[in-house]
Amino acid sequence: MRPRSAPAAAGRRFVPALVCAAAALLTGCGVPGSGVVEAGGPATVEAFPGTPNRLTLFFLSPEGRLTPVLRATRDDAQAPPVATAQVVTVLLDGPEPQESKAGLGTGLPSSAGPVDVASSRGTIRITLPFPVRRLKDNAVRQIVCTAAYAEGREDAAAIVLAGGDGTLPPARCGGALPGTASSR
């Protein structure tokens, strides 16, 4: 009969260990709970730092969302920034083949006409070579955000688009990228 009592004794030692382990799990590690602790705003990062040898263009995803695309322009990091009119002209040329393959598109008409950019008192006026009043919102945002990033004033500048059919009300990019001022 002794062989049967040995497992029973081992089982009796196992039960207290199991109870202690369960109690430890149920009580946690002894750290008391606390309420919400204010520690300042969220961390911010510059997701797309402006450099003179890269352009930030905005195209549309297959779902129609504004999507930034970085394009290299030149190897010289000391070169002056590309003029905003040139950046908008590059945007109007549309996505490159590899960008189109990735599903990016544009809501803008293709255009070979000149783009004029004038800046005064916090407003950037862009005169385009096509009518602007019938552009869809995302097409307008493509130009507004591309111009704002080219100017280095992501949501500080009011952008006014003008075309052969008139002028649109001033618009701001509104922090189209993570880490921009309006998303802070």
Side-chain angles (χ1 to χ4, degrees):
M1 289 262 207
R2 282 208 184 254
R4 289 185 183 204
S5 64
R12 278 183 249 147
R13 279 183 265 149
F14 179 70
V15 171
L18 184 60
V19 169
C20 287
L25 287 174
L26 293 175
T27 61
C29 57
V31 177
S34 67
V36 175
V37 177
E38 292 294 326
T44 59
V45 296
E46 188 172 9
F48 292 91
T51 61
N53 60 348
R54 285 194 297 179
L55 304 179
T56 303
L57 307 173
F58 287 84
F59 291 111
L60 301 177
S61 72
E63 298 81 26
R65 287 189 301 254
L66 211 56
T67 304
V69 172
L70 294 178
R71 285 197 193 160
T73 57
R74 46 180 100 96
D75 292 330
D76 183 7
Q78 301 302 318
V82 177
T84 302
Q86 289 177 290
V87 176
V88 173
T89 300
V90 171
L91 174 71
L92 296 179
D93 288 340
E96 291 183 341
Q98 70 272 20
E99 295 162 349
S100 292
K101 274 184 161 179
L104 296 176
T106 184
L108 298 167
S110 59
S111 174
V115 173
D116 183 58
V117 176
S119 182
S120 71
R121 295 179 301 191
T123 300
I124 301 166
R125 181 183 175 91
I126 301 173
T127 304
L128 298 160
F130 50 79
V132 295
R133 292 188 147 305
R134 292 196 174 157
L135 290 175
K136 293 185 178 179
D137 288 345
N138 273 348
V140 170
R141 289 191 71 220
Q142 280 185 261
I143 299 170
V144 167
C145 288
T146 297
Y149 275 79
E151 290 281 321
R153 299 174 358 188
E154 290 78 20
D155 34 312
I159 312 285
V160 174
L161 301 184
D165 62 345
T167 303
L168 296 179
R172 285 183 164 65
C173 182
L177 296 175
T180 58
S182 70
S183 63
R184 286 181 187 159

